[in-house]
Amino acid sequence: MTVSVHHITKRFGAFTALDDVSLDARPGEFLALLGPSGSGKTTLLRVMAGLEFPDAGAVLFDHVDVTNARAAERRVGFVFQHYALFRHMTVAENIAFGLKVKKPVERPSPEAIAARVRDLLGLIQLEHLGGRYPSQLSGGQRQRVALARALAVGPRVLLLDEPFGALDAKVRKDLRRWLRQIHDETGVTSVFVTHDQEEALELADRVVVMNHGRIEQVGEPAEIYDHPASAFVADFIGEANRLEVTVRHGRVFFAGVDLGPADGHGDGPAILYARPHDFVITDVGAGAIPAVRRSHRRLGARHRILLSLGDSGATVEVETLGPLDDGDVCHLAIQRWDLFPA
Amino acid sequence: MSSSTTESRLVRRLLIGIALAFLSFNLLLPLFAVFSEALREGWQGYQAAIIEPDALAAIRLTLLAAAIAVPFNIVFGVCAAWAIARFEFPGKSLLITLIDLPFSVSPVIAGLIYVLLFGAHGWFGPWLDEHDIQIVFAVPGIVLATIFVTFPFVARELIPLMQEQGNDEEEAALSLGASGWQTFWRVTLPNIRWGLLYGVLLCNARAMGEFGAVSVVSGHIRGLTNTMPLHVEILYNEYNFIAAFAVASLLALLALVTLVAKSLLEWRFGRKAVAGH
């Protein structure tokens, strides 16, 4: 199913949580809403779910306006960050809830409900825990139960609010691969909120980057990473070095060094973003920035070397660059970059 | 090390001793006195004092007042706690303060308010008189006064509980297709039931035991507007000690039953279920 939001604005008092946001989630797509806290991503998800109502704009499910429909009428599956399992019900009762509250004419028979619960317990690999209470489960198990409960009603769209936010790193990794698998099996359009870019880039078909209640960029993970549409995206996604440069006569200058063509950027000050792996050591010559190695740090298998550039005071972090010691002098070239107006 | 433990043990015993002595003197001794006075002329004197028509009328009125005040408080308490825990609205802190008002106001003042409002010379007095409605010095006044002094109990029990629980579960129920009523009966109520029961117990104990506010609006008409605490006072003032203590012992029993039920609740569901203390 297609989930569309058109020109949604939502304010909480003086705070604008969503500012004229428009977006489509395509049928069967796994879409990530990514952004820092306060960027409006959770509010957008809750507007889609009918748990929050916009001040302006429309929400459409398969081109049908559901803006004023309550959550109960939209048939969405919502998975909460802190699971929100019913604490006084067993796992099986939790999963059956959405079926049991259906109107008598639509409600499956008790046998059919029991069968559905068994199937879902199998899907989440907790067949033997149907009689347990939520407080007797681990965080990862609870989140799987929450997912099963949401899937039980056959939702038209699955909405997940930081589904792995409360879990530790190892469980999180396992669970998100498993979630992707479930998504591929069920084929239900899914939208999930996260502030973890690794999660978004690994899991999603497309990523929506949000900031200050606005959408900065929508695209496939590789596109977002390789071609950030704004300075915010370049800075927020992955690691990036930020350099203040000047564009003169269509060329980019940093501390007097001509780095190359500015690709249509107007003259004046600009901000350049380059990834740690976009720097290479080079000989003295065109585009070479004199640099001094300052320090080195390790992030698991990766290395990062901190260099100061010339006498500009700017520093950059780059990937391993061969045999250099702290204090050594070299020249750096930037192989590719993104340029934004200052 | 050893000297410090010896000292702390001594201090500990002293403190426990003081607390126990104080409790015995102030609570256990009077409780014992109530029952021993009530039974001084044996079981028959006790029974006679209780089945006497005025005493029965007082018991009936007390039960009636509680039977109206407690359900009212359940409805009001759940509504107020829901509103306060779930919504942000202007005047919220004022509402919380107002809920506490009966705790901070003298019960006598609470009674007087109703006399001033509904009494013969009160604001609504002439109108009520015209329509032949009697509130003060009649059963409605007693019920109103009882509701006034008891209305914080359920709400205060539920507000912290519902604030702590948040509304995730309710939102989950709504997103799963449950209606508002289904959400309330299947999710909200089961989550607050022990806190609610606890509040109801306290509310009931207060409703049956209230003296001051009820005394002002009652008019002390025997067999008509006397509740149990008022009946006790009248009997006592008439030097009818056995009857006074017999009726008082019923109130004391109620207090004991409430205490036991409260302890059972706490023991069965732990501190968490009856949170907010």
Side-chain angles (χ1 to χ4, degrees), chain A:
Chain A
M1 193 189 64
T2 309
V3 178
S4 314
V5 297
H6 289 329
H7 304 290
I8 295 282
T9 297
K10 174 73 185 173
R11 290 183 198 88
F12 296 107
F15 177 71
T16 303
L18 292 173
D19 185 5
D20 194 24
V21 169
S22 297
L23 178 69
D24 287 307
R26 298 168 188 158
E29 184 174 47
F30 206 23
L31 190 70
L33 303 180
L34 174 67
S37 50
S39 59
K41 54 195 192 302
T42 293
T43 306
L44 181 56
L45 193 78
R46 290 171 61 85
V47 165
M48 288 176 175
L51 293 172
E52 220 60 87
F53 294 92
D55 297 322
V59 182
L60 286 83
F61 283 9
D62 268 347
H63 314 295
V64 177
D65 192 319
V66 293
T67 312
N68 296 313
R70 289 174 298 113
E73 301 160 27
R74 292 194 192 182
R75 246 183 73 213
V76 297
F78 200 95
V79 176
F80 293 80
Q81 181 177 4
H82 298 289
Y83 329 122
L85 294 176
F86 306 126
R87 65 192 89 187
H88 61 286
M89 296 182 201
T90 62
V91 166
E93 287 167 345
N94 262 283
I95 296 173
F97 183 88
L99 299 171
K100 285 184 181 165
V101 296
K102 278 182 187 290
K103 293 190 193 79
V105 285
E106 297 168 11
R107 193 187 305 147
S109 67
E111 297 77 39
I113 292 180
R116 180 90 176 114
V117 169
R118 257 197 314 280
D119 286 351
L120 285 161
L121 281 171
L123 182 75
I124 60 170
Q125 297 147 15
L126 294 176
E127 293 93 340
H128 53 293
L129 296 183
R132 294 268 185 97
Y133 283 90
S135 60
Q136 297 167 307
L137 303 180
S138 71
Q141 290 172 331
R142 286 181 208 184
Q143 197 56 294
R144 281 189 274 166
V145 174
L147 184 67
R149 182 179 67 177
L151 288 172
V153 291
R156 300 194 287 169
V157 55
L158 193 58
L159 305 169
L160 307 106
D161 184 12
E162 305 240 7
F164 317 111
L167 303 169
D168 58 60
K170 175 77 176 79
V171 179
R172 192 145 78 195
K173 271 213 154 112
D174 292 347
L175 206 56
R176 74 189 186 210
R177 297 217 173 103
W178 175 82
L179 177 66
R180 177 73 222 200
Q181 209 182 319
I182 298 269
H183 171 265
D184 293 345
E185 282 169 24
T186 58
V188 60
T189 309
S190 306
V191 182
F192 77 104
V193 159
T194 181
H195 63 264
D196 181 344
Q197 47 170 298
E198 204 190 321
E199 199 166 285
L201 298 177
E202 178 187 327
L203 216 52
D205 296 321
R206 284 193 307 154
V207 178
V208 180
V209 185
M210 296 188 67
N211 186 36
H212 292 312
R214 290 176 158 277
I215 292 177
E216 293 273 342
Q217 187 174 5
V218 184
E220 288 171 15
E223 190 186 334
I224 298 262
Y225 188 85
D226 294 334
H227 304 289
S230 68
F232 173 80
V233 177
D235 201 37
F236 185 70
I237 302 289
E239 291 173 79
N241 292 293
R242 179 181 189 277
L243 293 177
E244 291 176 13
V245 297
T246 315
V247 177
R248 265 200 315 271
H249 311 304
R251 297 194 69 82
V252 183
F253 287 90
F254 174 74
V257 179
D258 180 352
L259 298 178
D263 296 326
H265 248 274
D267 283 8
I271 306 294
L272 177 150
Y273 285 94
R275 307 279 182 203
H277 49 75
D278 290 332
F279 289 85
V280 288
I281 291 197
T282 184
D283 297 327
V284 183
I289 312 164
V292 181
R293 176 174 149 149
R294 292 298 173 196
S295 62
H296 164 261
R297 68 190 172 99
R298 238 190 102 166
L299 311 156
R302 292 173 298 163
H303 292 263
R304 286 287 178 272
I305 293 167
L306 185 73
L307 301 110
S308 58
L309 299 182
D311 41 75
S312 65
T315 56
V316 289
E317 276 201 349
V318 308
E319 281 194 3
T320 319
L321 295 166
L324 273 179
D325 285 318
D326 288 355
D328 283 0
V329 178
C330 60
H331 283 81
L332 289 180
I334 311 176
Q335 291 185 306
R336 72 166 302 281
W337 65 73
D338 293 292
L339 205 58
F340 300 99

